[in-house]
Amino acid sequence: MNIIIAGGDGFCGWPTALYLSKQGHDVSIIDNMARRKWDDELHSNSITPIADLTERVEKWKELTGREIRTYEGDLNHYDFLKQVLMTEKPEAFVHFAEQRSAPYSMIDREHAVYTQVNNVVGNLNVLFGIKEVVPDCHLIKLGTMGEYGTPNIPIEEGYLEVEHKGRKDVLPYPKQPGSFYHLSKVHDSHNIMFTCKIWGIRATDLNQGVVYGHETDETKMDPVLSNRLDYDGVFGTALNRFIIQSTIGHDLTVYGKGGQTRGFLNLEDTVRCIEIAAENPADRGEFRVFNQFTEEFSVLDLAAKVQKVAQEEGFDTNIAHLENPRVELEEHYFHAVNTKLKDLGLEPHLLTDEVIRDILKAVMNHKDRVIEENVLPGVSWK
């Protein structure tokens, strides 16, 4: 299958590109290198050294004989995108290429506007490109569980059956996004649903939970293939951040009470979910929603898990409760349905002590790269 990975130089996109290539798919990458530029802007870095994209794909070809073609450019530039679609004629378009950080979107007006324009306009361009160039192409879009918020009822997979004043209907599940980033994902979902209805686009919206881990079998083949791993208060995700904090003698920084509960999944499951979606495409005109996570944890649960393993490895690790920079419920009900991907064959990698230990040992080799002033949150929602 010919598959384009937009955002294929990033944290989820790069291991997905390698995995799909290894599985025999014909893979190409679109990326504008924005994620590397945000590191420069924020005076931050990946704790793991990462090679440039050209070196990465050359090393992959050297090791496997498989070519991954690359196109450096921006989805917001429609002529560029249209030309790539005409050249590749993809059967599936995997869309990771968005600004993915809630804190980044909340820095100020400029970053909020950038996030929404970059994400919403880029996604609109993809929809128009599919319509005009490859109308049978399957859009696999990375959404987020954060679109739903934390309602006091179970979260269904995209749709909710409602009975109101004696009538029934199946409607899109209500959205309660918690940042300008999450709002951009909601706007994307609405635009995709609309174009499925009017143009017959086939689309799968993967509402992904928080991803942890950083390596897959493919990225471990050579240091040049290594994946990025973020730890800072803007792009670092909870579990990865806690593990890195433990190795540098920093308190594990829990925001507020720590009862904030979310869906989580291993990076190895992310790449498998993309494969499952690609090999089981949505029908023409279908807007399909999968909740892409495997387990639910509170932030305090995660901190305690990391503290236990870190102490077993000889690190004196404490948990510190910081004033919450976000505006969110810190104690709430959370239960989400996640059966569709499992029904299609997903076998989850669950979060065990050994998984945490493996990540911890991997980051120990590069802990000297941590810029300690970047560990604490510096962006306030208020």
Side-chain angles (χ1 to χ4, degrees):
M1 185 182 299
N2 185 301
I3 303 176
I4 289 178
I5 311 288
D9 187 51
F11 171 61
C12 290
W14 173 242
T16 300
L18 296 187
Y19 177 76
L20 293 177
S21 176
K22 185 192 77 172
Q23 297 300 100
H25 297 291
D26 187 13
V27 175
S28 55
I29 286 173
I30 297 175
D31 207 294
N32 65 355
M33 307 303 152
R35 181 64 193 88
R36 296 173 186 256
K37 296 168 188 171
W38 298 331
D39 274 347
D40 293 339
E41 175 198 344
L42 299 169
H43 306 290
S44 193
N45 62 335
S46 163
I47 190 172
T48 47
I50 50 173
D52 68 40
L53 183 57
T54 300
E55 288 181 81
R56 285 171 145 186
V57 297
E58 287 176 352
K59 176 59 70 174
W60 179 248
K61 186 172 183 179
E62 175 190 322
L63 293 173
T64 68
R66 299 198 62 84
E67 179 184 18
I68 296 177
R69 295 173 298 285
T70 61
Y71 299 89
E72 185 170 347
D74 197 321
L75 298 185
N76 278 256
H77 300 155
Y78 186 65
D79 289 346
F80 159 77
L81 172 61
K82 190 173 181 180
Q83 185 59 54
V84 175
L85 292 174
M86 292 170 66
T87 301
E88 290 293 334
K89 297 182 174 57
E91 296 160 85
F93 189 102
V94 181
H95 187 5
F96 286 109
E98 298 199 332
Q99 193 295 99
R100 64 171 178 84
S101 163
Y104 189 89
S105 76
M106 301 299 291
I107 292 173
D108 54 21
R109 183 203 64 82
E110 181 181 354
H111 288 80
V113 170
Y114 168 79
T115 297
Q116 296 220 352
V117 170
N118 179 78
N119 293 1
V120 177
V121 174
N123 185 65
L124 271 173
N125 281 344
V126 171
L127 292 168
F128 272 92
I130 290 173
K131 171 183 178 282
E132 294 177 5
V133 182
V134 279
D136 202 43
C137 178
H138 177 207
L139 172 61
I140 302 170
K141 170 68 166 55
L142 265 291
T144 169
M145 289 295 294
E147 291 187 32
Y148 299 120
T150 52
N152 199 37
I153 59 173
I155 297 170
E156 303 298 331
E157 297 201 70
Y159 297 92
L160 181 67
E161 185 175 312
V162 177
E163 184 171 352
H164 181 63
K165 294 185 178 180
R167 301 189 67 82
K168 286 185 179 181
D169 203 349
V170 177
L171 300 171
Y173 196 96
K175 305 297 178 71
Q176 300 181 74
S179 72
F180 290 119
Y181 153 73
H182 291 102
L183 278 158
S184 76
K185 292 291 194 177
V186 172
H187 304 330
D188 286 344
S189 295
H190 289 156
N191 286 336
I192 298 169
M193 179 184 290
F194 181 63
T195 57
C196 287
K197 182 170 68 174
I198 62 171
W199 298 335
I201 298 257
R202 59 174 84 228
T204 300
D205 203 4
L206 296 173
N207 283 338
Q208 181 167 255
V210 182
V211 180
Y212 62 84
H214 79 294
E215 298 287 26
T216 61
D217 289 344
E218 294 73 42
T219 65
K220 288 187 284 191
M221 287 171 63
D222 190 278
V224 173
L225 303 180
S226 186
N227 197 26
R228 69 174 301 119
L229 181 59
D230 298 305
Y231 61 89
D232 60 85
V234 176
F235 280 96
T237 57
L239 183 71
N240 284 350
R241 245 180 359 100
F242 288 158
I243 292 172
I244 292 166
Q245 287 174 341
S246 74
T247 67
I248 62 171
H250 199 289
D251 289 345
L252 310 187
T253 52
V254 171
Y255 298 165
K257 295 177 181 177
Q260 304 93 313
T261 302
R262 304 289 186 265
F264 289 81
L265 78 161
N266 192 304
L267 181 62
E268 292 183 88
D269 290 334
T270 289
V271 302
R272 174 67 178 129
C273 288
I274 300 299
E275 179 185 35
I276 288 171
E279 293 182 347
N280 300 273
D283 294 330
R284 286 297 298 266
E286 180 185 10
F287 177 65
R288 186 175 65 171
V289 181
F290 295 162
N291 289 343
Q292 184 172 306
F293 73 97
T294 55
E295 297 177 275
E296 297 172 359
F297 299 106
S298 73
V299 175
L300 195 55
D301 289 339
L302 290 179
K305 284 176 175 291
V306 172
Q307 182 185 41
K308 174 180 178 291
V309 174
Q311 289 177 342
E312 290 171 356
E313 293 298 316
F315 294 99
D316 184 17
T317 305
N318 298 309
I319 296 173
H321 290 262
L322 304 186
E323 181 180 355
N324 195 342
R326 304 186 180 211
V327 176
E328 61 185 357
L329 294 176
E330 295 176 8
E331 294 176 313
H332 57 85
Y333 172 84
F334 187 88
H335 176 68
V337 175
N338 62 336
T339 59
K340 292 182 180 178
L341 284 161
K342 292 177 185 175
D343 290 345
L344 290 171
L346 176 64
E347 298 178 356
H349 295 75
L350 301 181
L351 182 60
T352 63
D353 287 354
E354 287 311 305
V355 170
I356 294 173
R357 201 180 318 277
D358 287 347
I359 302 170
L360 188 148
K361 288 180 176 178
V363 303
M364 280 172 57
N365 296 328
H366 302 293
K367 66 180 184 178
D368 59 315
R369 288 174 52 85
V370 173
I371 302 168
E372 292 203 29
E373 55 265 34
N374 291 348
V375 171
L376 293 175
V379 180
S380 171
W381 266 230
K382 300 172 184 176

